[in-house]
Amino acid sequence: MADLDPSTPIPMPATPDRATSSPLSLNLTTSTLSSLIPTTPIATASTATALTAPAVSSLRSTPASTLQSPPAIPVQGLVPSDEQKRTYRFRGLELIATNNIYALPDPIIDPRTRWPARRATDVCDNEQFAQCWKEHLSAPIVQYLASNVESWTLNILRSGFPDAEDPLRTPIVVYLKTGLTLADKPVTEELALRIIRVVASIILEFWQGESIYIDVCKTQRSSTSDQLAEFSYLSDIPPRYYTRYPPFPGCSIGTGNQAGTLTGYVKHGDEFYKSTCYHVGGPRGTQLSSPALYQHDAIKEALEKLVPSLLSISRLGRISPRLLGLVSGPLHYGAYWYKIWKACRAWDPDCGTVTSSSGGLLGGYNWCLTKFEGKPGQNYNRHVPLHQLDASSGFQFHSVHYFSSSAITTAESYFAYGPSFKPIRSTPLKAFEVCFKPPSCTTKDWTVGRVNSIDMITQQNSTVSPQEQYCIVSGGLDIKAVVSAEGDSGSIILDKDYQPVAVLYAGYEATNINQDITCAVHLSTILADMERVNG
């Protein structure tokens, strides 16, 4: 199986490392683990304590700079009230129990902005703790969770509600998300309190540094599983979907009512395949389209409504000057959208059926392939142009503390002509390394994030081993500082040198009161699994 650049062989790591996404090594014996777990009886759900102000004030931590004395990590957890749960502000998560005195905003309304206090989330920047986690904490904690919770995701991040007078309000937090599947037995308050006690005790056994807290959460599901597409204005419509056939990487792909992102094109022998995530496409035989059929129908309906009125003189007089300035004049603007409308009406979204896949989400691979008739020697992996009148990939971003103005200028210059993908990077991303996500199905602009110092760990169910994946965080408080959103699964991730290095496949979506957290799998790992399955 060839890589995403047909002219370049797959570069594979020489030795197994975190890039291989192999099951975690959990070699502790039962006696070793039991020595770390307190034998004191745990409070039952009926005796669980609500998270009240007096209880919180009694759990104050020592300053983060105090490294000589044991950290003040509360071992006993607390259960928040229903009202307090509503202020937790992590989209898709409902707090079950915590020992985190900064888990909730105080005050709820930020007096500086008069808006709800906004959660700030960033990478775990304490390199000493990250090293301690890898050497001493990860194995016993993961082994305990694997034995007591059916499916879960674990992240260690710096997160909280910033306060200039109290910098400790953004502590390092161990986030446990449970209930990844509907079939899971729910994690009770009693079990959540037990998890906090065990995890806190293991941390105290090995760690001498700033306080580390634990939040145990459950997945909060929306009332509907189908995605919806609304295109009320021309500015909502992604014209890049109809710029080239076959579509560019980054375009929408999916089934009748679910959409994700086209990763790119894989060449195997003389045959070409479109690639995306398994949960976007599905098992062998699943019919795919690009754009996803529900999006294509919605775009076509919107263009049928908006373009004829745009071409009328009365409508032209009301178009925003900023939009008209995108091209050289109103007539060109109208002609441009007429061209998109015409291309959409003639477009055949059929991508055929899935020919091979990873067989599910297990094993950390998550891919599927659809065959198409490609031309020998053709490289289909190019960065998607802004639109039909602009061949550049439209790189734009704002300066943040880890991505300077000069780095932005360099990226703008590199992506100005819609270049082909660079050869794939085989070595793993490093802690705090900057990475990029090109325009994709939902986030239509370039996004930038940093790799966390501690990998995200996920167990899909109790019958498989936990897997490590990259955890990528946007950082900062800018509402636009996101890496991905629902529908971006399958998007390629580039490293600081613009080489493809990973594939996005999951995350916690951002809102106006919290940032997103993005999960990605090493690309060479996925390609190696494609090779294993397809021969």
Side-chain angles (χ1 to χ4, degrees), residues 139-339:
I141 289 175
V142 169
Q143 182 172 338
Y144 171 76
L145 294 176
S147 301
N148 289 274
V149 185
E150 291 184 59
S151 67
W152 47 271
T153 294
L154 191 69
N155 278 296
I156 296 89
L157 297 158
R158 192 173 288 282
S159 184
F161 300 89
D163 187 327
E165 298 179 359
D166 187 0
L168 294 179
R169 283 187 178 276
T170 51
I172 295 174
V173 182
V174 177
Y175 286 103
L176 177 66
K177 176 184 178 181
T178 65
L180 304 186
T181 67
L182 288 171
D184 283 4
K185 182 180 178 180
V187 171
T188 63
E189 292 176 353
E190 178 183 3
L191 178 55
L193 292 170
R194 185 182 299 119
I195 289 170
I196 289 171
R197 184 167 186 143
V198 170
V199 172
S201 297
I202 294 173
I203 293 174
L204 284 168
E205 178 77 15
F206 294 101
W207 172 242
Q208 300 290 311
E210 69 170 293
S211 297
I212 312 296
Y213 299 103
I214 303 107
D215 287 1
V216 179
C217 306
K218 63 181 178 181
T219 303
Q220 193 174 49
R221 291 179 171 83
S222 59
S223 57
T224 177
S225 60
D226 289 350
Q227 294 173 321
L228 301 175
E230 294 184 6
F231 302 98
S232 302
Y233 305 98
L234 289 174
S235 57
D236 298 332
I237 297 173
R240 65 182 184 277
Y241 289 177
Y242 306 103
T243 301
R244 185 194 76 175
Y245 191 86
F248 281 93
C251 288
S252 163
I253 189 171
T255 57
N257 55 12
Q258 293 289 322
T261 299
L262 176 62
T263 306
Y265 295 88
V266 175
K267 187 171 180 285
H268 179 46
D270 293 328
E271 297 178 331
F272 290 82
Y273 297 85
K274 299 182 182 76
S275 173
T276 188
C277 288
Y278 176 86
H279 67 273
V280 172
R284 184 172 181 175
T286 304
Q287 182 71 38
L288 296 185
S289 60
S290 180
L293 202 55
Y294 79 98
Q295 289 186 332
H296 175 64
D297 292 342
I299 291 171
K300 188 160 57 173
E301 181 179 345
L303 290 172
E304 294 280 355
K305 177 182 177 181
L306 297 172
V307 173
S309 58
L310 171 68
L311 297 177
S312 69
I313 301 228
S314 58
R315 183 64 177 166
L316 281 173
R318 295 197 295 271
I319 294 178
S320 137
R322 183 179 67 85
L323 289 178
L324 292 176
L326 290 174
V327 291
S328 58
L331 293 179
H332 288 181
Y333 181 73
Y336 163 70
W337 279 109
Y338 179 77
K339 185 176 181 181

Side-chain angles (χ1 to χ4, degrees), residues 240-241 250 261 437-447 480 482-488 491 504 509 516:
R240 65 182 184 277
Y241 289 177
T261 299
K437 186 193 71 61
S440 49
C441 179
T442 303
T443 51
K444 297 175 175 57
D445 299 316
W446 283 84
T447 61
K480 296 180 180 179
V482 300
V483 175
S484 65
E486 184 179 5
D488 289 336
S491 176
L504 187 158
E509 194 163 357
D516 70 317

Side-chain angles (χ1 to χ4, degrees), residues 30 46 76 82 99 116 119 203 247 353 358 363 420 423 434 488:
T30 303
S46 60
Q76 201 64 271
D82 289 342
N99 68 345
R119 178 182 290 277
I203 293 174
T353 59
S358 55
S420 299
V434 173
D488 289 336

